[in-house]
Each structure stands twice: as C-alpha cells, then as structure tokens.
Amino acid sequence: MNNNPLLQPFTTKFDSVPFENIKQEDYKPAILASIESAKQEINEIANRSNAPDFNNTIVALEQTGKQLNRATEAFFNLTSAETNDYLEKVQEEISPVLAEYGNDITLNENLFAKVKAVYDNTDKDLLSKEDARLLDKTYKSFTRNGALLNEADKEQLRAIDKELAGLKVKFSQNVLQETNAYFLHLTDEQELAGIPDSIKGQAAAEAKKRELEGWVFTLQYPSFVPFMTYASNRERRKEMYMANGTKAYQNNEFNNEDIIKKIVMLRDERARLLGFDTHAAFMLEERMAGKPDAVFSFLNDLLQKAKPFAGKDIEAVKPMAGKDGITEMMPYDHSYYAEKLREEKYDYSEEELKPYFSLEAVLEAAFDAARKLYGLTFAQRKDIQKYHEEVTVYEVLENGQHKALLYTDWHPRDGKRAGAWMTSYKGQYMEKGENSRPHISIVCNFSRPTEDTPSLLTFNEVTTLFHEFGHALHGIMADTKYESLSGTNVYWDFVELPSQFMENYCYQKDFLATFAKHYKTGELIPEEKLDKIVASANFMEGYQTMRQLSFGLLDMAYHSGKMKQEDSVEAFEKSIIKETQLYPTIAGIAQSPSFSHIFPGGYSAGYYSYKWSEVLDADAFAYFKETGIFNEATAAKFKTLLSKGGTEDPMDLYIAFRGRKPEPDALLERAGLK
Ligand SMILES: [Zn+2]
C-alpha cells in the first residue's frame, strides 16, 4: 500500500494522473484508504475546540478529500471509458462505501452544528459572492438532507427515503419486465413492407436469437422507433403503439399505477417535512428556474407560441396519409407519414455527407472556434501518461500560458459505454495563492478510420463533438477559488448552456465553409447539401415541441400537489396534457407508468430543463449573431460566464452576459416557430 501511486502526490508533468504506474489492483485500496483519511480530516474539523468561522469550517471542509477526489475521478472515468470485469467488481464494492461516506458527513451532528454556527453568525454581505455561495451550498447540503429536523422527523425522513428507494427500483423493474415481455413476431415478409433492409436484418437476428422463424420487433427503442417510422402496415403499427402505451399499465402485477401514487405522495411528504410546499418547490430551490410558478409559466408560454406551428406540422403530414386513404390520422400514424414527408422535402443520406466531415477536420474546426472566441490554442503533448493508446492529450494554452489539459478518446472499444460525454480528471481551484488548472476529458463513440478512409462523422456526430467540446470549454475556462463551484458544477438547468451553445456553430454556413471539405478531393460541401442540413434541422419542430412540453407539464403536475389520491393515473395524465395533444387520444393507454425519467430517474420536476436549456443557448447565440459569431467583446462576456462556474446565481451570470433575462424568441425563431 505504501507504494500505491494513488496515495502519493503525483510527480508527473502538470500533476496529471500517472496512468502507466497505476495497476488496476491499486484503485480499491487507494479509494478505501483515502476515504479513511478524508473522514479523519472531517472529524478534526467537527471536533475542533476553537470557535467555528468561515475559514476553519467551510473552507476547511471544502478542502477535505482531495486525494479521494483524484482517485475516484480516475477510477470512474475508467469504468466508463475502459472497463473490464475486474473494475466492474471493484465499482460494485466501493459504491456503497462511498455512499455511506457521503451520509456520514451529512449526518455528522457536531459538524453540522459548526456549519450552522457559521451560517447563522456570518454577515453574508461581507463575504465575496463566491464565499457566500460556498457557505450557502455547504449549509444546504445538510439541511436539504434533514439536519434541522428533530429526531422523530429525521426518523420519518429516513423511512421515506428508504421506501422511495424501494418503489423506484420496483418501478424500473416493472418497466423492464413489461418491455421485455412483449414482442411482435412476423413471419410474412409482406408485413414488413417499408422497413429498410438493415432494420429487417436486425429483426431477423432478434428472431434467430429467440429460435423463431421470420422477424421479431421489440419495445426497445432501436427496434420500436424504426418500426413506427417505416412500417407501412397500419394495423401492425397500431399493435406496437398500443403495446408501448400499455407498458406497466396492464391488469397484472407489473402495473405501476399505485407505485406512481405512492412516489408522488412520499415526495411531497418529504418536501413538507423540510419546509417546502411541494416536491417541485424543493427541487427548484437549487435550479436556475427557482420556483414552480416560473416553470409553469415558461412551459405554458411556449405552449401558446408553438401550438399554431404544431398544427401546421400536422396539416403538412395529413396529405401524405390522405394518399393512403386515411382521413383521420391517429398517433401511431404520425412518425410514418412524417418520415414520408421528410424524404420528399429534404432527403439526403448521412452517407453522402460523411466524406465532408472527417474527424480531424471537425476537431480542428472546434479548436479554431475556441481560438477565435477565447484565444485558446491546443498543442498535442506526447509526454502525458494516458489510460489507452488511442487517447490523445492536448495542452490548452491561452495566449501561450498553460490553461488546462484536454484528453480526447474518440472511438468505440469493448469496455467503453455507449454515447458521448465530457468529464474531468482534476477540477480547477486556487491553492495557496496558485491557480491549479483542470484536466478535462471528452469521450465519444465515433466510427473508426479504416485502411483507406479516415474517421468520417455523420452530421449528428459533428454536433455531438461540438456539444461535448462546449462542456469541455466550461471546464477549461474555469477560474474560481473552490473546486466544488468550479467549471460544470452548476445548477442542472444551466449546465447544458455551454454545450448546446457550441452546437449552434454547426449550422453557420460561413463557418461550415471553413472546414466541411471532402477528405479526398478537398472540394467544399455543395451549397444545396448545406441548405438541406440547416432546413431539415427544424423539421416537425412544432410537433416535437408539443411532445416535450407535454412531458414537462406532466412532470410538474405530478410534483406540485395537483394529483389527488382518488385520481386515476390515466385520467390525470390526459387532463394535464390535453392542451398539447395533436391527435385523438386512445383510451386505455398512458405514458406515466413508464415515464422512467421522472419516477425512478433523476428528472423529477426537472424535465422542463431540456426546453429551458434550448431557450438559453438560442438566446445566447442570438447575441453572437447580432454582433458577429466570433465577436471579441461578446465572446469576452461569455467567457466570464463560463469562467465563473457555479460561484454566482446562474440568472445573475446570464444577465451580466446578455444584459437581460433569457427570452424564448430566439429559440422560436431558430426552430421556425415564429
Ligand atoms: Zn450535454
């Protein structure tokens, strides 16, 4: 253990993770030992005899566990990007220990007494904004977990949390069970009319796996969505749609209706114990939106504005259905006929665009944007240790000065989870007057180069790269005192602003023209292809907006005490989403029993944040469009917003950047809803 590299100060360049010296057997003992030393540091703070003040309590607490952070950041990045059975097993073993360590802190009464004394006795006006924010955040990390309650109420809170945890697991199990229980088995190839060969191939493989003849479609999205989009057999579409809409809502033991009622009731009860009217009010205390009313008016305002356009979307699709003799379209017809319309209006294939988007060129373009906006340059470093040979490490420089490290890891491998994400190996913070710079990482699953072609990206992957790069810039630009308020440590409904903001550049023709060149011939992407990309981005936007709003409103309704115990889930749901419905509703189906985002998932009273972030990024980018998409003065203001992380209220940061609160007009305009 003494020579465990995770338990020594790193002696590597820039204090980077010494991956080559760390054996996978080192992680578990290092994390367990670091938890013990972090506990000791915390107990020292809790048991000190001198009077608690901001520095000896709040700042001291912030600075505990640095070694643990470094070890867990390295470890959890590996379990996402380069895992194996051994690391998975270690993860299972240490996750509960880490959870318990977190509970030990928030339940430590001596420690809370000190934190409370500082909170009660400090004149917050005398603190800097950042210090005040740290104090507030620290205090609430205890009170939001019940630290102010008497013993009986604490006991009740723990009982509620335990019951909720069990209900969430049961909810997910029921959805999984019902998703897997259903499959559509087809043996007559005519019934697959319209479905592309690649999808048919997957369905044939699924059938084979089940030792069946023909083709099998399931309620898993990669099977369900293409079926609804391409299958021309209306009866079969209806069958699939009904199966999906009755998931965990059938007359059997896997029905989630009672579980929903219990979850909703317990969440409100928990919120009331902690002094809030509703669960939504509790959740929104730590969000940019702030209050349930703000979210309701945000959603309803968008609803009023988008609804006429959603109506137009439906009108545009109807003639396609009319050609097949359908006079009344049903929900299970929409995807199919919308796709027919899309093909007619904008058809281009991903394949024909890919040669214009080599990974190398797209990455250079992202770097170029960061140079123009913030004066950043990226120099590849071969002397920094990495966890896999495919990883590239860059030193990020600002006017020639070291700013950050950026690790990139682009291609799929066994042991890497699906998707794309930004993460860090080290946060940014001030230490003894020195600015300790961050180590950021982007991990994706883009197709690999082959022997004769470089890695070529679909347009969707191009926007993904810019999205993750936007998160990375949030981390790279960080310039705060405290790590827990640094970079992407911001409120949930604010964290997607920097990432979605960068995606906007992918739709700027002038900018695209600087890099969208054929990898072989160097020929610029033809104008008409560009136009199709830009125009098709808004296809069915009105319809999609209504769909998102229906989920957002339903989530808020459940979590603001609007449901009565005697209401049926189906009737309640239908009454809430009525205004957003564009097709006739069907009796006997409901979304709520499989609405995993908000019941077991972390999105309760948070689903609105998808649209909220879009409003922010469109409004922010509109400012750039007004002044020039690389305008220096505008970029300097946005840089300030990025650099401040979570050290100020996000609304204040936004107003400082934009000169006013965010407005939805830019989003409506961008989405063609004006
Ligand atoms: Zn994101």
Side-chain angles (χ1 to χ4, degrees):
M1 180 110 85
N2 284 341
N3 45 26
N4 188 323
L6 289 159
L7 294 172
Q8 332 284 330
F10 299 163
T11 52
T12 39
K13 184 87 189 155
F14 303 121
D15 196 25
S16 59
V17 181
F19 285 110
E20 287 160 22
N21 308 338
I22 303 170
K23 296 188 294 296
Q24 58 177 9
E25 293 77 18
D26 289 333
Y27 285 102
K28 186 178 165 187
I31 290 171
L32 295 178
S34 304
I35 289 177
E36 286 314 310
S37 37
K39 276 189 192 166
Q40 268 177 31
E41 293 166 29
I42 287 163
N43 282 332
E44 260 170 53
I45 298 168
N47 301 326
R48 252 178 223 156
S49 53
N50 52 358
D53 63 26
F54 182 75
N55 281 316
N56 74 18
T57 305
I58 307 299
V59 176
L61 198 53
E62 165 72 15
Q63 283 164 350
T64 59
K66 286 259 191 275
Q67 187 183 57
L68 177 62
N69 288 350
R70 294 302 308 265
T72 50
E73 278 168 321
F75 177 73
F76 286 111
N77 283 323
L78 279 192
T79 58
S80 298
E82 184 61 20
T83 194
N84 56 42
D85 290 348
Y86 179 83
L87 292 175
E88 293 293 298
K89 200 171 139 270
V90 173
Q91 182 175 9
E92 259 172 54
E93 288 162 3
I94 62 167
S95 292
V97 187
L98 281 165
E100 199 185 302
Y101 162 70
N103 284 337
D104 282 351
I105 300 174
T106 47
L107 299 175
N108 185 325
E109 292 186 5
N110 282 350
L111 183 63
F112 178 62
K114 301 230 161 177
V115 169
K116 185 171 185 302
V118 178
Y119 185 82
D120 289 343
N121 301 323
T122 304
D123 183 350
K124 278 127 201 138
D125 294 338
L126 296 180
L127 293 179
S128 71
K129 278 185 188 166
E130 181 166 0
D131 287 353
R133 195 106 180 134
L134 184 70
L135 175 56
D136 195 57
K137 184 175 173 167
T138 308
Y139 178 72
K140 282 185 182 148
S141 71
F142 290 89
T143 58
R144 287 173 64 84
N145 284 300
L148 286 173
L149 302 181
N150 62 35
E151 263 326 299
D153 285 349
K154 270 186 189 159
E155 199 52 52
Q156 200 188 344
L157 190 78
R158 280 195 282 271
I160 290 174
D161 283 343
K162 199 169 161 209
E163 195 176 352
L164 273 173
L167 289 166
K168 288 185 197 177
V169 171
K170 187 77 184 114
F171 186 105
S172 298
Q173 284 171 345
N174 286 347
V175 173
L176 186 66
Q177 164 70 32
E178 291 266 287
T179 304
N180 292 337
Y182 176 87
F183 62 94
L184 178 67
H185 180 205
L186 301 176
T187 49
D188 178 357
E189 190 158 9
Q190 278 184 352
E191 293 199 288
L192 281 81
I195 295 174
D197 286 343
S198 62
I199 306 293
K200 269 193 198 172
Q202 288 165 21
E206 186 66 37
K208 206 165 186 185
K209 209 174 83 188
R210 295 165 190 253
E211 297 180 358
L212 292 170
E213 295 292 307
W215 301 267
V216 163
F217 292 89
T218 71
L219 297 179
Q220 306 285 354
Y221 280 168
S223 180
F224 174 75
V225 173
F227 190 88
M228 297 305 292
T229 309
Y230 298 112
S232 56
N233 186 320
R234 195 181 191 207
E235 276 311 304
R236 292 301 193 185
R237 285 204 309 270
K238 181 178 177 184
E239 196 178 326
M240 279 292 262
Y241 184 84
M242 293 301 289
N244 192 55
T246 51
K247 252 187 325 200
Y249 188 53
Q250 303 188 73
N251 196 8
N252 63 23
E253 65 191 291
F254 307 112
N255 190 311
N256 272 337
E257 179 152 22
D258 287 341
I259 294 179
I260 288 174
K261 288 185 179 185
K262 279 189 197 144
I263 290 178
V264 167
M265 186 193 72
L266 287 168
R267 279 178 173 164
D268 271 345
E269 196 180 328
R270 187 183 196 281
R272 280 194 302 274
L273 265 178
L274 294 170
F276 295 83
D277 287 344
T278 61
H279 179 67
F282 170 74
M283 294 305 286
L284 288 162
E285 187 194 38
E286 297 208 313
R287 299 267 168 79
M288 183 179 181
K291 295 233 164 9
D293 281 353
V295 177
F296 277 116
S297 43
F298 169 76
L299 294 171
N300 284 318
D301 178 44
L302 269 186
L303 175 68
Q304 294 315 320
K305 287 175 172 145
K307 195 162 182 178
F309 292 90
K312 280 187 198 162
D313 283 349
I314 303 309
E315 287 308 311
V317 178
K318 272 186 185 164
M320 306 304 287
K323 286 184 200 164
D324 285 347
I326 293 174
T327 48
E328 188 182 35
M329 276 184 72
M330 295 299 285
Y332 44 82
D333 296 321
H334 178 84
S335 302
Y336 177 76
Y337 289 107
E339 173 61 17
K340 291 279 162 292
L341 181 64
R342 193 194 66 81
E343 284 169 13
E344 194 179 278
K345 276 178 89 168
Y346 306 113
D347 200 26
Y348 64 86
S349 74
E350 290 286 7
E351 290 307 311
E352 62 183 296
L353 293 181
K354 277 169 78 171
Y356 298 95
F357 296 112
S358 75
L359 170 60
E360 199 187 344
V362 176
L363 181 63
E364 272 312 313
F367 286 172
D368 189 44
R371 181 180 60 75
K372 288 181 179 138
L373 289 166
Y374 312 120
L376 299 182
T377 51
F378 298 76
Q380 191 180 339
R381 296 282 307 222
K382 300 212 165 158
D383 56 346
I384 306 294
Q385 297 188 23
K386 43 201 199 183
Y387 58 92
H388 192 279
E389 57 183 12
E390 287 185 346
V391 174
T392 307
V393 186
Y394 299 87
E395 183 183 8
V396 187
L397 301 142
E398 183 180 14
N399 305 321
Q401 297 290 310
H402 178 77
K403 186 83 174 169
L405 288 181
L406 175 67
Y407 296 69
T408 62
D409 180 0
W410 300 119
H411 305 300
R413 285 190 299 270
D414 288 346
K416 192 193 270 193
R417 68 175 163 88
W421 60 95
M422 165 270 186
T423 169
S424 73
Y425 289 104
K426 180 189 166 302
Q428 176 273 335
Y429 49 87
M430 294 296 292
E431 192 176 40
K432 299 186 185 101
E434 249 182 66
N435 197 330
S436 181
R437 301 303 309 167
H439 302 165
I440 306 296
S441 170
I442 300 178
V443 186
C444 295
N445 278 284
F446 298 151
S447 49
R448 294 177 167 278
T450 64
E451 248 171 55
D452 40 35
T453 51
S455 170
L456 299 174
L457 307 186
T458 64
F459 189 70
N460 192 23
E461 290 173 330
V462 174
T463 58
T464 299
L465 188 148
F466 271 75
H467 180 102
E468 299 311 331
F469 187 64
H471 282 308
L473 286 172
H474 204 183
I476 289 167
M477 303 310 274
D479 199 6
T480 65
K481 276 205 278 194
Y482 308 118
E483 188 173 6
S484 71
L485 297 174
S486 180
T488 54
N489 289 314
V490 297
Y491 285 165
W492 178 328
D493 52 1
F494 190 62
V495 75
E496 295 299 330
L497 166 62
S499 53
Q500 293 180 181
F501 169 79
M502 286 308 292
E503 286 183 51
N504 285 282
Y505 284 93
C506 303
Y507 298 93
Q508 300 307 305
K509 283 209 230 167
D510 290 351
F511 181 58
L512 278 167
T514 64
F515 70 94
K517 293 174 184 162
H518 198 286
Y519 77 95
K520 252 190 209 157
T521 63
E523 170 221 7
L524 191 65
I525 189 167
E527 176 105 21
E528 118 264 339
K529 283 200 168 72
L530 270 188
D531 288 339
K532 278 184 184 172
I533 296 175
V534 176
S536 65
N538 288 338
F539 182 63
M540 288 291 130
E541 193 63 36
Y543 172 84
Q544 292 299 350
T545 300
M546 298 310 273
R547 212 176 122 76
Q548 289 294 95
L549 292 175
S550 80
F551 292 133
L553 286 166
L554 188 57
D555 166 34
M556 285 302 291
Y558 274 119
H559 295 116
S560 346
K562 296 209 188 298
M563 191 192 198
K564 296 186 196 68
Q565 279 303 305
E566 64 271 21
D567 288 345
S568 87
V569 159
E570 186 184 336
F572 179 74
E573 172 179 310
K574 286 189 164 126
S575 74
I576 298 299
I577 65 174
K578 209 169 117 210
E579 283 290 297
T580 64
Q581 294 307 291
L582 301 158
Y583 290 112
T585 47
I586 299 172
I589 64 169
Q591 299 163 347
S592 306
S594 57
F595 198 176
S596 297
H597 269 82
I598 66 162
F599 292 116
Y603 273 81
S604 63
Y607 201 91
Y608 76 91
S609 60
Y610 286 109
K611 273 288 153 210
W612 183 271
S613 313
E614 281 182 43
V615 164
L616 291 182
D617 88 73
D619 190 51
F621 196 71
Y623 193 22
F624 277 84
K625 278 173 91 173
E626 284 160 24
T627 54
I629 61 170
F630 294 110
N631 180 282
E632 266 182 45
T634 313
K637 287 187 196 169
F638 200 63
K639 180 179 170 179
T640 303
L641 175 146
L642 293 175
S643 69
K644 291 200 174 203
T647 60
E648 289 182 32
D649 183 274
M651 189 60 90
D652 294 345
L653 284 180
Y654 193 85
I655 293 171
F657 154 68
R658 190 68 167 100
R660 58 160 174 74
K661 285 187 174 184
E663 289 169 4
D665 291 38
L667 173 65
L668 295 169
E669 185 145 337
R670 184 178 75 187
L673 304 179
K674 259 192 118 169

